[in-house]
Amino acid sequence: MKIDIDLDLACRHRFINYLVLNTSFSDTIGLLDGKSAAILYLYLNRSKFEADWIDHIAYTHLEEMLAQTSVFTPLTFGNGLSGLGAMLEFLSTSGYLEENVSDLLEDVEPKLLGLVYGGALKQAGIADGLSGLGLYFIHRIRSSSPAAPMMNLRYKEAVIACVEQIGMLYKAGRMSAMSTDFFSGLPGTLSFLYNAAAENIYEPETTSLIIQLANILLDKLTENDNLLSAAAGYLILSEIAGHYGELIRNEELMNNQRDWFNRMESADFGMLGVTAPLQLLFVRKLATRYERETSITQCDKIFEQLYDNMKDRSLKEIFPFDRGVNAIHTGLENGVVSLALPLHSIESGDYSWLSIFGINN
């Protein structure tokens, strides 16, 4: 479903020109903090511009990013190489990238496999933890340019190891303190586990862990007063309820979610932070799934306000140069793409890129 924001060419040019001018100066490569997010946005908007020009610019940034990787480059999903790899898989599957992804990732994968078994990751979330690394290997299992059978077996073993280690964190009492934030908390972890279960990996242990963590998340969402930050949790639980509804207090989930929708529809959000556009995207996706027209209208109204406010301000003002990293922030968490990509999805109806994080249409 599309809405009438109508991001005209001038607006898209502002985003693209700002990214083209500034992305090369960034030393960060992540989806949440750097170049990977900028490249993703450029490719998704290629149909609105001269495709050859966008392809050249985006691939130039991709080459820069691959060339600048070193032993010091983070390996995590949110800020490092595993997220870059998952994005490359998405671009390849979507027809944006012709290169063989296995060839591009040849030098990276031994490091990522070593990270699985090295015990270095002490968190469960997507951004910096085991779920992000596991998602990378699931993307490789589903690759449009599949690896050799023995390597695919190693990917599955890596996913099993990630699930096992998340289970160990849970049994050690370190999961209950996790937040409802998608990238660092329980929703992202459940997104990974749900995708692992869909591939029938490490069952029934994976499903058992899903049920336990889903019920913890349900309790946490009940206690959460931040309406927007709860959207990712309810979105993931709605996926799980479709398959395991009888095991996750489904009636309680539906009642709590209905109450949350009612509060969303009557809330006055006022000034919103840089994380709001992505959270609103989760709200709208969930509202569309449950045909909550008033919630959809509320989201569209807020996006219209964001769009109108942006038209009256320069991108340099909204996303200024950060001397701490000697660049502007371009990522999905607090950068240019955190605004540009949700606006693109709301206007175009294209949510496909959320599959990078395990959220499927």
Side-chain angles (χ1 to χ4, degrees):
M1 183 182 295
K2 301 180 181 180
I3 65 171
D4 190 23
I5 285 182
D6 187 20
L7 290 175
D8 56 34
L9 290 181
C11 176
R12 287 194 182 89
H13 268 302
R14 289 177 65 199
F15 283 129
I16 287 178
N17 288 340
Y18 200 56
L19 289 170
V20 168
L21 288 171
N22 288 280
T23 298
S24 290
F25 296 102
S26 175
D27 290 330
T28 53
I29 71 165
L31 283 165
L32 299 188
D33 70 345
K35 287 183 177 179
S36 290
I39 291 168
L40 176 62
Y41 181 76
L42 291 174
Y43 273 118
L44 286 175
N45 279 274
R46 70 191 296 273
S47 63
K48 300 292 183 180
F49 300 94
E50 302 85 348
D52 290 343
W53 177 75
I54 288 286
D55 284 347
H56 172 72
I57 295 296
Y59 195 75
T60 297
H61 286 315
L62 180 58
E63 286 183 316
E64 287 176 358
M65 188 164 53
L66 291 171
Q68 78 183 60
T69 59
S70 70
V71 294
F72 302 106
T73 303
L75 301 176
T76 55
F77 197 91
N79 309 108
L81 291 172
S82 52
L84 163 62
M87 182 202 66
L88 293 177
E89 285 289 3
F90 168 78
L91 293 177
S92 176
T93 301
S94 303
Y96 294 112
L97 198 64
E98 295 181 359
E99 283 71 17
N100 187 298
V101 176
S102 294
D103 293 341
L104 293 175
L105 298 173
E106 184 178 9
D107 296 332
V108 171
E109 292 202 319
K111 301 176 185 178
L112 298 177
L113 287 165
L115 187 62
V116 174
Y117 301 107
L121 295 179
K122 305 298 184 184
Q123 300 180 52
I126 283 182
D128 298 310
L130 292 157
S131 294
L133 198 58
L135 267 178
Y136 166 80
F137 290 112
I138 287 177
H139 282 293
R140 296 296 287 129
I141 290 168
R142 296 171 174 172
S143 178
S144 58
S145 53
M150 283 302 295
M151 186 58 77
N152 260 326
L153 181 60
R154 294 189 71 187
Y155 297 154
K156 291 182 180 179
E157 290 173 344
V159 174
I160 291 171
C162 288
V163 175
E164 283 183 325
Q165 290 177 61
I166 291 171
M168 291 169 63
L169 289 175
Y170 171 64
K171 290 176 182 177
R174 296 176 59 187
M175 293 293 296
S176 60
M178 291 184 68
S179 72
T180 58
D181 176 77
F182 179 74
F183 292 122
S184 63
L186 282 167
T189 299
L190 282 164
S191 182
F192 157 61
L193 293 172
Y194 184 72
N195 278 270
E199 295 296 322
N200 198 32
I201 294 177
Y202 198 44
E203 291 286 27
E205 287 84 354
T206 302
T207 290
S208 175
L209 190 54
I210 288 172
I211 301 308
Q212 294 174 80
L213 297 184
N215 282 300
I216 291 175
L217 178 58
L218 178 55
D219 290 335
K220 287 187 169 294
L221 291 174
T222 305
E223 302 163 1
N224 189 357
D225 293 328
N226 188 325
L227 292 173
L228 289 182
S229 70
Y234 281 118
L235 179 61
I236 297 300
L237 286 180
S238 73
E239 290 281 339
I240 295 170
H243 291 81
Y244 312 109
E246 71 281 4
L247 300 175
I248 64 165
R249 309 192 330 252
N250 195 43
E251 184 176 353
E252 182 180 345
L253 169 61
M254 294 298 105
N255 289 336
N256 291 350
Q257 187 172 274
R258 190 180 305 111
D259 176 66
W260 173 77
F261 270 128
N262 290 337
R263 288 186 291 142
M264 271 290 308
E265 291 164 3
S266 60
D268 181 6
F269 290 99
M271 296 297 294
L272 296 172
V274 292
T275 60
L278 185 58
Q279 292 171 339
L280 282 167
L281 197 65
F282 290 148
V283 174
R284 198 176 193 282
K285 188 172 177 63
L286 186 65
T288 301
R289 177 173 294 168
Y290 286 95
E291 299 181 344
R292 296 284 303 210
E293 292 298 328
T294 305
S295 291
I296 294 172
T297 301
Q298 172 80 309
C299 287
D300 293 351
K301 181 178 71 174
I302 298 170
F303 267 110
E304 290 278 7
Q305 292 171 352
L306 287 170
Y307 178 56
D308 289 340
N309 291 337
M310 185 198 70
K311 287 193 296 186
D312 298 330
R313 302 171 64 193
S314 69
L315 290 179
K316 184 177 179 180
E317 177 188 358
I318 302 171
F319 302 103
F321 180 83
D322 183 344
R323 294 190 180 278
V325 294
N326 288 319
I328 67 165
H329 292 283
T330 59
L332 256 172
E333 198 161 44
N334 61 357
V336 177
V337 181
S338 69
L339 175 59
L341 198 46
L343 281 172
H344 160 81
S345 291
I346 289 294
E347 188 271 340
S348 67
D350 177 16
Y351 293 79
S352 62
W353 59 273
L354 288 173
S355 64
I356 295 173
F357 301 98
I359 300 175
N360 301 303
N361 289 330

